[in-house]
Coordinates of all heavy atoms in Angstrom, one line a residue:
V1 N 4.7 1.6 -6.7 CA 3.3 2.0 -6.3 C 3.1 3.4 -6.6 O 4.0 4.2 -6.9 CB 3.0 1.7 -4.8 CG1 3.2 0.2 -4.5 CG2 4.1 2.5 -4.0
E2 N 1.9 3.9 -6.5 CA 1.7 5.3 -6.8 C 2.3 6.2 -5.6 O 2.4 5.6 -4.5 CB 0.2 5.5 -6.8 CG -0.6 4.9 -8.0 CD -2.0 5.1 -7.9 OE1 -2.4 6.0 -7.0 OE2 -2.8 4.6 -8.7
R3 N 2.8 7.3 -6.0 CA 3.4 8.2 -5.0 C 2.4 8.5 -3.9 O 1.2 8.9 -4.1 CB 3.9 9.4 -5.6 CG 4.7 10.4 -4.6 CD 5.1 11.6 -5.4 NE 5.7 12.5 -4.5 CZ 6.2 13.8 -4.7 NH1 6.0 14.2 -5.9 NH2 6.7 14.5 -3.9
I4 N 2.9 8.5 -2.6 CA 2.0 8.9 -1.5 C 2.3 10.2 -1.1 O 3.4 10.5 -0.7 CB 2.2 7.8 -0.3 CG1 2.0 6.4 -0.8 CG2 1.3 8.2 0.8 CD1 2.4 5.4 0.2
R5 N 1.4 11.1 -1.2 CA 1.6 12.5 -0.9 C 1.4 12.8 0.7 O 0.6 12.0 1.3 CB 0.8 13.4 -1.7 CG 1.0 13.3 -3.3 CD 0.2 14.2 -4.0 NE 0.4 14.1 -5.5 CZ 1.5 14.6 -6.1 NH1 2.3 15.4 -5.4 NH2 1.6 14.4 -7.4
D6 N 2.0 13.8 1.1 CA 1.8 14.1 2.5 C 2.0 13.0 3.5 O 1.1 12.7 4.4 CB 0.4 14.8 2.7 CG 0.2 15.9 1.9 OD1 1.1 16.8 1.7 OD2 -1.0 16.1 1.4
T7 N 3.1 12.3 3.3 CA 3.2 11.1 4.1 C 3.4 11.2 5.6 O 2.9 10.5 6.4 CB 4.5 10.3 3.6 OG1 5.7 11.2 3.7 CG2 4.4 9.8 2.2
H8 N 3.9 12.4 6.0 CA 4.1 12.6 7.5 C 2.8 12.9 8.1 O 2.6 12.8 9.3 CB 5.1 13.7 7.7 CG 6.5 13.4 7.4 ND1 7.3 12.6 8.1 CD2 7.3 13.6 6.3 CE1 8.5 12.3 7.6 NE2 8.5 13.1 6.5
E9 N 1.9 13.4 7.3 CA 0.5 13.7 7.9 C -0.4 12.5 7.8 O -1.5 12.6 8.3 CB 0.0 14.9 7.3 CG 0.6 16.2 7.6 CD 2.0 16.4 6.9 OE1 2.1 15.9 5.8 OE2 2.9 16.9 7.7
T10 N 0.0 11.6 7.0 CA -1.0 10.4 6.7 C -1.0 9.5 8.0 O 0.0 9.1 8.5 CB -0.4 9.6 5.5 OG1 -0.4 10.5 4.4 CG2 -1.4 8.5 5.1
K11 N -2.2 9.1 8.3 CA -2.4 8.2 9.4 C -2.6 6.7 9.1 O -2.4 5.9 10.0 CB -3.7 8.7 10.2 CG -3.6 10.1 10.6 CD -2.4 10.5 11.5 CE -2.4 11.9 11.9 NZ -1.1 12.2 12.6
R12 N -3.1 6.5 7.9 CA -3.4 5.1 7.6 C -3.3 4.8 6.1 O -3.8 5.8 5.3 CB -4.8 4.6 8.1 CG -5.1 3.2 8.0 CD -6.4 2.9 8.6 NE -7.6 3.6 8.0 CZ -8.5 3.1 7.2 NH1 -8.5 1.7 7.1 NH2 -9.5 3.8 6.7
I13 N -2.9 3.7 5.7 CA -2.9 3.4 4.2 C -3.1 2.0 4.1 O -2.7 1.1 4.9 CB -1.6 3.9 3.5 CG1 -1.8 3.7 2.0 CG2 -0.4 3.0 4.0 CD1 -0.7 4.4 1.2
T14 N -3.8 1.5 2.9 CA -4.0 0.1 2.6 C -3.4 -0.2 1.3 O -3.6 0.5 0.3 CB -5.5 -0.2 2.7 OG1 -6.1 0.0 3.9 CG2 -5.8 -1.7 2.3
Y15 N -2.6 -1.3 1.4 CA -2.1 -1.8 0.1 C -2.7 -3.0 -0.3 O -3.2 -3.9 0.5 CB -0.5 -2.2 0.3 CG 0.3 -1.0 0.4 CD1 0.5 -0.4 1.7 CD2 1.0 -0.4 -0.6 CE1 1.4 0.7 1.9 CE2 1.8 0.7 -0.5 CZ 2.0 1.3 0.8 OH 2.8 2.4 0.9
R16 N -3.0 -3.2 -1.6 CA -3.5 -4.4 -2.2 C -2.4 -5.1 -2.9 O -1.8 -4.6 -3.8 CB -4.8 -4.2 -3.1 CG -5.3 -5.5 -3.8 CD -6.6 -5.1 -4.5 NE -7.6 -4.8 -3.6 CZ -8.8 -4.3 -4.0 NH1 -9.1 -4.1 -5.2 NH2 -9.7 -4.1 -3.1
I17 N -2.1 -6.3 -2.4 CA -1.0 -7.1 -3.0 C -1.6 -8.3 -3.7 O -2.3 -9.1 -3.1 CB -0.1 -7.6 -1.8 CG1 0.4 -6.3 -1.1 CG2 1.1 -8.3 -2.4 CD1 1.2 -6.6 0.2
T18 N -1.1 -8.7 -4.9 CA -1.4 -9.8 -5.7 C -0.2 -10.6 -6.0 O 0.8 -10.1 -6.5 CB -2.1 -9.5 -7.0 OG1 -3.4 -8.7 -6.6 CG2 -2.5 -10.7 -7.7
I19 N -0.1 -11.9 -5.7 CA 1.0 -12.8 -6.2 C 0.3 -14.0 -6.8 O -0.5 -14.7 -6.3 CB 1.7 -13.4 -5.0 CG1 2.2 -12.2 -4.1 CG2 2.9 -14.2 -5.4 CD1 3.0 -12.7 -2.9
P20 N 0.4 -14.1 -8.2 CA -0.2 -15.1 -8.9 C 0.1 -16.5 -8.4 O 1.3 -16.9 -8.0 CB 0.5 -15.0 -10.3 CG 0.9 -13.6 -10.4 CD 1.3 -13.2 -9.0
D21 N -0.9 -17.3 -8.2 CA -0.8 -18.7 -7.7 C -0.3 -18.8 -6.3 O 0.3 -19.8 -5.9 CB 0.1 -19.5 -8.6 CG -0.6 -19.6 -10.0 OD1 -1.8 -19.6 -10.3 OD2 0.3 -19.4 -11.0
E22 N -0.3 -17.8 -5.5 CA 0.3 -17.9 -4.1 C -0.6 -16.9 -3.2 O -1.1 -15.8 -3.7 CB 1.7 -17.5 -4.1 CG 2.4 -17.9 -2.8 CD 3.9 -17.8 -3.0 OE1 4.4 -17.7 -4.2 OE2 4.7 -17.9 -2.0
D23 N -0.6 -17.2 -1.9 CA -1.4 -16.4 -1.0 C -0.4 -15.4 -0.4 O 0.3 -15.7 0.5 CB -2.0 -17.3 0.1 CG -3.0 -16.5 1.1 OD1 -3.1 -15.3 0.9 OD2 -3.3 -17.1 2.1
P24 N -0.6 -14.1 -0.6 CA 0.3 -13.1 -0.1 C 0.1 -12.9 1.4 O 1.0 -12.5 2.1 CB 0.0 -11.8 -0.9 CG -1.3 -12.1 -1.4 CD -1.5 -13.5 -1.7
A25 N -1.0 -13.2 1.9 CA -1.4 -13.1 3.3 C -0.4 -14.0 4.1 O -0.1 -13.7 5.3 CB -2.8 -13.4 3.6
A26 N 0.1 -15.0 3.5 CA 1.0 -15.9 4.3 C 2.4 -15.4 4.5 O 3.2 -15.9 5.3 CB 1.1 -17.3 3.6

């Protein structure tokens, strides 16, 4: 994934996950 800068000061992050032919939410 892209480098996350200032991680200790970061309060929230959202990742988008894709798995072909499968539901990652499961």
Side-chain angles (χ1 to χ4, degrees):
V1 298
E2 296 177 7
R3 181 181 177 183
I4 305 170
R5 299 184 182 276
D6 302 321
T7 54
H8 289 284
E9 290 72 38
T10 303
K11 304 302 180 185
R12 184 175 64 109
I13 191 167
T14 297
Y15 288 88
R16 178 169 293 170
I17 302 175
T18 300
I19 306 178
D21 303 320
E22 197 168 346
D23 182 8

